[in-house]
Amino acid sequence: GCTPSFDNYILELFNEFRNLTFLLQRDLDLTYINDGRKQTLVEAKRAGIEIQEMLDRYNIPYVECQVSGEKTLEVLLEQVLNVLEVQE
C-alpha cells in the first residue's frame, strides 16, 4: 500500500458497494501467450500471489475460480447468479 490513511480511505470506498471479487486461478495446462501482455509468466504468477495476499490482508472476501479457457465466462456468470440468488 501507500500510506495507512490512503489504504483505509480506498478500503472504505470499496466497502460502500456490494462487491463480488473473483480470484482467477491459472490453468497450468493452458499455454501462456506473451503477445499483448505486459508481464512474463513468472511476473504474472508473482502478481497473482501479491493480489491474493492483499485481499487476505484487508479481509476482502473473494471467490476462487479456475480459469478454463473459453468456459471461464460461463463459470463466472454462474457464480454471479448464485450469489445474487443467495442475497435476495
Side-chain angles (χ1 to χ4, degrees), residues 6 8 14-16 18-20 26 28 31 38-40 43-44 46-47 51 61-63 65-66 71 76-77 85 87:
F6 182 74
N8 289 335
F14 177 83
N15 287 326
E16 286 182 9
R18 188 169 135 193
N19 298 293
L20 178 57
R26 184 178 313 282
L28 300 176
T31 302
K38 183 178 172 183
Q39 301 158 324
T40 65
E43 293 168 332
R46 187 176 321 124
I51 289 168
Y62 56 89
V63 176
C65 187
Q66 182 69 38
K71 290 204 167 253
L76 291 175
L77 181 58
E85 283 180 14
Q87 291 182 355

Side-chain angles (χ1 to χ4, degrees), residues 23-58:
L23 184 65
L24 302 179
Q25 297 297 328
R26 184 178 313 282
D27 185 343
L28 300 176
D29 292 333
L30 294 177
T31 302
Y32 186 84
I33 301 171
N34 284 327
D35 291 344
R37 296 180 189 235
K38 183 178 172 183
Q39 301 158 324
T40 65
L41 177 59
V42 171
E43 293 168 332
K45 286 180 178 180
R46 187 176 321 124
I49 291 168
E50 291 172 1
I51 289 168
Q52 185 170 11
E53 288 174 349
M54 181 203 59
L55 293 170
D56 291 338
R57 181 173 53 250
Y58 291 109

Side-chain angles (χ1 to χ4, degrees), residues 66-80:
Q66 182 69 38
V67 172
S68 51
E70 294 179 11
K71 290 204 167 253
T72 301
L73 180 59
E74 187 178 318
V75 170
L76 291 175
L77 181 58
E78 183 179 315
Q79 290 285 336
V80 169

